[in-house]
Short mmCIF file of all heavy atoms in Angstrom, two decimals:
data_model
loop_
_atom_site.label_atom_id
_atom_site.label_comp_id
_atom_site.label_asym_id
_atom_site.label_seq_id
_atom_site.Cartn_x
_atom_site.Cartn_y
_atom_site.Cartn_z
N TYR A 95 -110.25 -19.31 -27.91
CA TYR A 95 -111.64 -19.57 -27.96
C TYR A 95 -111.79 -21.16 -28.39
O TYR A 95 -111.17 -21.46 -29.35
CB TYR A 95 -112.43 -18.80 -28.98
CG TYR A 95 -112.73 -17.37 -28.53
CD1 TYR A 95 -112.22 -16.25 -29.24
CD2 TYR A 95 -113.58 -17.06 -27.38
CE1 TYR A 95 -112.44 -15.00 -28.75
CE2 TYR A 95 -113.78 -15.75 -27.09
CZ TYR A 95 -113.21 -14.80 -27.70
OH TYR A 95 -113.50 -13.47 -27.39
N LEU A 96 -112.53 -21.82 -27.63
CA LEU A 96 -112.89 -23.19 -28.09
C LEU A 96 -114.35 -23.20 -28.39
O LEU A 96 -115.26 -23.04 -27.43
CB LEU A 96 -112.61 -24.25 -27.02
CG LEU A 96 -113.15 -25.64 -27.29
CD1 LEU A 96 -112.60 -26.17 -28.51
CD2 LEU A 96 -112.78 -26.57 -26.16
N ALA A 97 -114.78 -23.24 -29.64
CA ALA A 97 -116.25 -23.06 -29.94
C ALA A 97 -116.76 -24.57 -30.31
O ALA A 97 -116.31 -25.17 -31.21
CB ALA A 97 -116.38 -22.30 -31.33
N LEU A 98 -117.73 -24.87 -29.47
CA LEU A 98 -118.33 -26.12 -29.52
C LEU A 98 -119.61 -26.11 -30.28
O LEU A 98 -120.55 -25.29 -29.87
CB LEU A 98 -118.67 -26.68 -28.11
CG LEU A 98 -117.51 -26.87 -27.17
CD1 LEU A 98 -117.98 -27.38 -25.78
CD2 LEU A 98 -116.44 -27.84 -27.74
N TYR A 99 -119.71 -26.74 -31.48
CA TYR A 99 -120.82 -26.79 -32.29
C TYR A 99 -121.39 -25.43 -32.63
O TYR A 99 -122.57 -25.05 -32.42
CB TYR A 99 -122.06 -27.67 -31.71
CG TYR A 99 -121.58 -29.02 -31.34
CD1 TYR A 99 -121.18 -29.32 -30.02
CD2 TYR A 99 -121.45 -30.06 -32.34
CE1 TYR A 99 -120.80 -30.69 -29.68
CE2 TYR A 99 -120.92 -31.31 -31.98
CZ TYR A 99 -120.70 -31.61 -30.66
OH TYR A 99 -120.17 -32.85 -30.39
N PRO A 100 -120.54 -24.49 -33.09
CA PRO A 100 -120.91 -23.06 -33.27
C PRO A 100 -121.88 -22.79 -34.35
O PRO A 100 -121.86 -23.50 -35.49
CB PRO A 100 -119.54 -22.41 -33.48
CG PRO A 100 -118.72 -23.48 -34.17
CD PRO A 100 -119.07 -24.76 -33.57
N SER A 101 -122.74 -21.81 -34.24
CA SER A 101 -123.72 -21.44 -35.30
C SER A 101 -122.91 -20.49 -36.16
O SER A 101 -121.74 -19.90 -35.84
CB SER A 101 -124.80 -20.73 -34.62
OG SER A 101 -124.45 -19.64 -33.94
N ARG A 102 -123.52 -19.92 -37.18
CA ARG A 102 -122.94 -18.92 -38.17
C ARG A 102 -122.78 -17.65 -37.26
O ARG A 102 -121.79 -16.98 -37.45
CB ARG A 102 -123.95 -18.68 -39.23
CG ARG A 102 -123.36 -17.61 -40.22
CD ARG A 102 -124.53 -17.27 -41.28
NE ARG A 102 -124.88 -18.52 -42.05
CZ ARG A 102 -124.22 -18.99 -43.16
NH1 ARG A 102 -123.09 -18.45 -43.58
NH2 ARG A 102 -124.61 -20.14 -43.79
N LYS A 103 -123.84 -17.28 -36.45
CA LYS A 103 -123.67 -16.07 -35.64
C LYS A 103 -122.50 -16.11 -34.75
O LYS A 103 -121.87 -15.05 -34.50
CB LYS A 103 -125.00 -15.93 -34.96
CG LYS A 103 -125.13 -14.56 -34.29
CD LYS A 103 -126.57 -14.28 -33.61
CE LYS A 103 -126.61 -13.00 -33.06
NZ LYS A 103 -127.97 -12.75 -32.60
N MET A 104 -122.26 -17.24 -34.11
CA MET A 104 -121.21 -17.34 -33.21
C MET A 104 -119.87 -17.22 -33.86
O MET A 104 -118.95 -16.52 -33.38
CB MET A 104 -121.19 -18.67 -32.38
CG MET A 104 -119.99 -18.86 -31.52
SD MET A 104 -119.84 -20.33 -30.53
CE MET A 104 -121.20 -20.09 -29.50
N MET A 105 -119.78 -17.75 -35.06
CA MET A 105 -118.48 -17.68 -35.78
C MET A 105 -118.21 -16.20 -36.21
O MET A 105 -117.15 -15.57 -36.09
CB MET A 105 -118.52 -18.56 -37.09
CG MET A 105 -118.50 -20.05 -36.68
SD MET A 105 -117.18 -20.61 -35.57
CE MET A 105 -115.74 -20.20 -36.55
N THR A 106 -119.32 -15.51 -36.56
CA THR A 106 -119.17 -14.04 -36.87
C THR A 106 -118.71 -13.29 -35.67
O THR A 106 -117.84 -12.54 -35.67
CB THR A 106 -120.56 -13.49 -37.44
OG1 THR A 106 -120.90 -14.30 -38.67
CG2 THR A 106 -120.46 -12.07 -37.69
N LEU A 107 -119.38 -13.64 -34.48
CA LEU A 107 -118.91 -12.98 -33.28
C LEU A 107 -117.53 -13.23 -32.86
O LEU A 107 -116.82 -12.28 -32.51
CB LEU A 107 -119.86 -13.35 -32.11
CG LEU A 107 -121.27 -12.78 -32.10
CD1 LEU A 107 -122.17 -13.44 -31.00
CD2 LEU A 107 -121.24 -11.32 -31.82
N LEU A 108 -117.01 -14.38 -32.97
CA LEU A 108 -115.70 -14.70 -32.66
C LEU A 108 -114.67 -13.96 -33.57
O LEU A 108 -113.64 -13.51 -33.14
CB LEU A 108 -115.43 -16.23 -32.65
CG LEU A 108 -116.20 -17.07 -31.66
CD1 LEU A 108 -115.97 -18.50 -31.84
CD2 LEU A 108 -115.80 -16.58 -30.20
N GLU A 109 -115.00 -13.92 -34.86
CA GLU A 109 -114.08 -13.28 -35.80
C GLU A 109 -114.21 -11.75 -35.71
O GLU A 109 -113.20 -11.12 -35.87
CB GLU A 109 -114.47 -13.58 -37.29
CG GLU A 109 -114.13 -15.11 -37.55
CD GLU A 109 -112.55 -15.33 -37.60
OE1 GLU A 109 -111.83 -14.40 -37.64
OE2 GLU A 109 -112.19 -16.55 -37.50
N LYS A 110 -115.19 -11.12 -35.13
CA LYS A 110 -115.33 -9.64 -34.96
C LYS A 110 -115.17 -9.30 -33.58
O LYS A 110 -115.49 -8.25 -33.10
CB LYS A 110 -116.73 -9.26 -35.53
CG LYS A 110 -116.78 -9.35 -37.04
CD LYS A 110 -118.10 -8.76 -37.45
CE LYS A 110 -118.10 -8.90 -38.99
NZ LYS A 110 -119.29 -8.29 -39.55
N SER A 111 -114.72 -10.32 -32.71
CA SER A 111 -114.63 -10.11 -31.22
C SER A 111 -113.84 -8.84 -30.94
O SER A 111 -112.79 -8.40 -31.60
CB SER A 111 -114.04 -11.29 -30.64
OG SER A 111 -113.68 -11.16 -29.31
N ASN A 112 -114.15 -8.26 -29.77
CA ASN A 112 -113.48 -7.10 -29.20
C ASN A 112 -112.29 -7.64 -28.29
O ASN A 112 -111.74 -6.71 -27.67
CB ASN A 112 -114.45 -6.25 -28.34
CG ASN A 112 -115.43 -5.51 -29.22
OD1 ASN A 112 -115.11 -5.13 -30.32
ND2 ASN A 112 -116.61 -5.42 -28.75
N THR A 113 -111.98 -8.76 -28.37
CA THR A 113 -110.90 -9.32 -27.65
C THR A 113 -109.58 -9.47 -28.50
O THR A 113 -109.65 -9.43 -29.82
CB THR A 113 -111.20 -10.64 -26.86
OG1 THR A 113 -111.45 -11.59 -27.92
CG2 THR A 113 -112.41 -10.56 -25.94
N LYS A 114 -108.54 -9.80 -27.85
CA LYS A 114 -107.30 -10.20 -28.58
C LYS A 114 -107.30 -11.66 -28.62
O LYS A 114 -106.70 -12.25 -27.87
CB LYS A 114 -106.08 -9.63 -27.87
CG LYS A 114 -105.95 -8.08 -27.89
CD LYS A 114 -104.92 -7.54 -26.96
CE LYS A 114 -103.62 -8.31 -27.12
NZ LYS A 114 -102.56 -7.91 -26.21
N ALA A 115 -108.00 -12.21 -29.63
CA ALA A 115 -108.02 -13.73 -29.77
C ALA A 115 -106.61 -14.24 -30.23
O ALA A 115 -106.16 -13.76 -31.25
CB ALA A 115 -109.10 -14.09 -30.71
N GLU A 116 -105.95 -15.14 -29.54
CA GLU A 116 -104.86 -15.77 -29.91
C GLU A 116 -105.14 -16.99 -30.86
O GLU A 116 -104.30 -17.24 -31.74
CB GLU A 116 -104.08 -16.38 -28.75
CG GLU A 116 -103.64 -15.17 -27.76
CD GLU A 116 -102.48 -14.45 -28.30
OE1 GLU A 116 -101.67 -14.96 -29.08
OE2 GLU A 116 -102.36 -13.23 -27.99
N ALA A 117 -106.22 -17.68 -30.66
CA ALA A 117 -106.68 -18.79 -31.52
C ALA A 117 -108.08 -19.00 -31.38
O ALA A 117 -108.77 -18.70 -30.28
CB ALA A 117 -105.99 -20.13 -31.02
N ILE A 118 -108.76 -19.58 -32.36
CA ILE A 118 -110.04 -20.04 -32.44
C ILE A 118 -110.12 -21.46 -32.85
O ILE A 118 -109.48 -21.88 -33.88
CB ILE A 118 -111.00 -19.20 -33.50
CG1 ILE A 118 -111.13 -17.79 -33.15
CG2 ILE A 118 -112.30 -19.94 -33.51
CD1 ILE A 118 -111.84 -16.88 -34.06
N ILE A 119 -110.56 -22.32 -32.02
CA ILE A 119 -110.61 -23.80 -32.21
C ILE A 119 -112.05 -24.21 -32.30
O ILE A 119 -112.78 -23.91 -31.36
CB ILE A 119 -109.83 -24.52 -31.04
CG1 ILE A 119 -108.44 -23.91 -30.94
CG2 ILE A 119 -109.90 -26.03 -31.28
CD1 ILE A 119 -107.81 -24.24 -29.60
N VAL A 120 -112.35 -24.79 -33.39
CA VAL A 120 -113.75 -25.22 -33.67
C VAL A 120 -113.99 -26.66 -33.57
O VAL A 120 -113.06 -27.47 -34.16
CB VAL A 120 -114.29 -24.67 -35.06
CG1 VAL A 120 -115.59 -25.26 -35.33
CG2 VAL A 120 -114.26 -23.23 -35.12
N PHE A 121 -114.91 -27.26 -32.89
CA PHE A 121 -115.25 -28.58 -32.69
C PHE A 121 -116.74 -28.77 -33.02
O PHE A 121 -117.66 -28.13 -32.54
CB PHE A 121 -115.08 -29.07 -31.33
CG PHE A 121 -115.45 -30.52 -30.94
CD1 PHE A 121 -114.41 -31.45 -31.25
CD2 PHE A 121 -116.61 -30.82 -30.46
CE1 PHE A 121 -114.73 -32.86 -30.99
CE2 PHE A 121 -117.01 -32.23 -30.27
CZ PHE A 121 -116.00 -33.18 -30.42
N SER A 122 -117.00 -29.47 -34.17
CA SER A 122 -118.30 -29.61 -34.62
C SER A 122 -118.53 -30.83 -35.45
O SER A 122 -117.59 -31.44 -35.96
CB SER A 122 -118.77 -28.41 -35.53
OG SER A 122 -120.10 -28.36 -35.63
N GLU A 123 -119.72 -31.13 -35.81
CA GLU A 123 -120.02 -32.32 -36.64
C GLU A 123 -120.31 -31.74 -38.10
O GLU A 123 -120.64 -30.57 -38.30
CB GLU A 123 -121.31 -33.04 -36.17
CG GLU A 123 -122.55 -32.17 -36.13
CD GLU A 123 -123.83 -33.04 -35.81
OE1 GLU A 123 -123.92 -34.14 -36.44
OE2 GLU A 123 -124.77 -32.48 -35.24
N LYS A 124 -120.17 -32.57 -39.06
CA LYS A 124 -120.21 -32.36 -40.47
C LYS A 124 -121.67 -31.94 -40.94
O LYS A 124 -121.84 -31.07 -41.76
CB LYS A 124 -119.76 -33.38 -41.30
CG LYS A 124 -118.27 -33.39 -41.32
CD LYS A 124 -117.62 -34.40 -42.43
CE LYS A 124 -116.20 -34.32 -42.39
NZ LYS A 124 -115.66 -35.25 -43.45
N GLN A 125 -122.66 -32.70 -40.37
CA GLN A 125 -124.10 -32.41 -40.74
C GLN A 125 -124.40 -30.92 -40.46
O GLN A 125 -124.21 -30.48 -39.38
CB GLN A 125 -124.90 -33.32 -40.14
CG GLN A 125 -126.37 -33.30 -40.76
CD GLN A 125 -127.27 -34.43 -40.15
OE1 GLN A 125 -126.82 -35.14 -39.28
NE2 GLN A 125 -128.52 -34.49 -40.59
#
Side-chain angles (χ1 to χ4, degrees):
Y95 287 116
L96 171 56
L98 301 177
Y99 307 100
S101 64
R102 179 185 307 274
K103 187 172 184 177
M104 179 180 291
M105 294 307 297
T106 300
L107 286 171
L108 293 177
E109 288 296 343
K110 293 183 178 181
S111 172
N112 289 324
T113 63
K114 291 170 48 182
E116 295 290 327
I118 296 175
I119 302 160
V120 174
F121 179 84
S122 192
E123 63 170 322
K124 284 188 177 183
Q125 190 174 3

